[in-house]
Amino acid sequence: MDRTEKREFVASLAAVFAETSMVVVTRNEGLTVADVTDLRRKVRAAGATYKVAKNRLATLALDGTRFEGISPLLKGPTALAWAADPVAVAKVIVEFAKTNDKLVVLGGALGTQTLNADGVKALAELPSLDTLRAQLVGLISTPATRIAGVLQAPAGQLARVFGAYAKTGEADAA
């Protein structure tokens, strides 16, 4: 890479850091090409990006962004993963790391908050954004369903009482 390419790469990476909400740093020592291809496919399916970048260039791109706190993690063979949905990228990386011991989660950053490896793993255990939305809609609709059930219950009870009186009246008349 010549100087111009390096400048362009740093600028593009800085632009990505300005737009994203979550960055995960991994150590990818010993991953085969097939493993990395599989990981990238899974990361892309989750709407995230996985990129191996030179540590020095990544550090330059991090300067002045809210993710500056992850700069000390960039030592040795590292790679970065990022996405707008923080839970999605954390889930994919952590799940892949469970099945492949050559990928190690070093940490990450969620906005200005720097996370260690346990923080990224805890974030991965949260439900996805779509699941949270579904749960919220369920919570909102449940009270309405209960109110409708409570309002219908007295009418149903009255109908049963009238039905019971009618049956006793028929039994007395017979």
Side-chain angles (χ1 to χ4, degrees):
M1 237 190 235
D2 66 359
R3 283 181 182 261
T4 308
E5 290 174 329
K6 287 179 182 180
R7 269 191 231 113
E8 290 172 3
F9 180 77
V10 168
S12 68
L13 205 53
V16 165
F17 292 148
E19 296 171 2
T20 191
S21 64
M22 172 76 176
V23 177
V24 178
V25 181
T26 62
R27 182 172 316 283
N28 57 350
E29 196 167 16
L31 284 176
T32 64
V33 173
D35 290 339
V36 173
T37 303
D38 184 37
L39 175 60
R40 285 178 200 235
R41 188 177 303 119
K42 289 177 180 178
V43 167
R44 203 174 311 120
T49 305
Y50 179 81
K51 189 156 193 87
V52 177
K54 288 189 173 198
N55 293 335
R56 179 69 184 135
L57 297 179
T59 303
L60 288 173
L62 285 169
D63 285 341
T65 67
R66 58 187 168 180
F67 301 115
E68 273 185 290
I70 63 173
S71 293
L73 299 174
L74 299 175
K75 289 181 175 55
T78 58
L80 303 170
W82 63 82
D85 181 8
V87 175
V89 69
K91 263 187 201 299
V92 172
I93 296 294
V94 169
E95 286 299 317
F96 191 85
K98 285 180 184 175
T99 61
N100 192 326
D101 59 343
K102 294 183 179 173
L103 181 76
V104 179
V105 177
L106 297 177
L110 179 61
T112 57
Q113 180 69 38
T114 303
L115 305 171
N116 60 10
D118 292 332
V120 174
K121 289 174 184 172
L123 189 62
E125 293 173 4
L126 292 175
S128 69
L129 191 58
D130 290 337
T131 306
L132 288 173
R133 285 178 182 152
Q135 288 174 350
L136 183 62
V137 168
L139 286 173
I140 291 170
S141 67
T142 299
T145 305
R146 286 186 181 163
I147 289 172
V150 166
L151 291 177
Q152 290 175 352
Q157 287 174 347
L158 281 175
R160 284 191 287 280
V161 168
F162 289 142
Y165 277 126
K167 285 181 184 175
T168 57
E170 290 173 9
D172 290 339

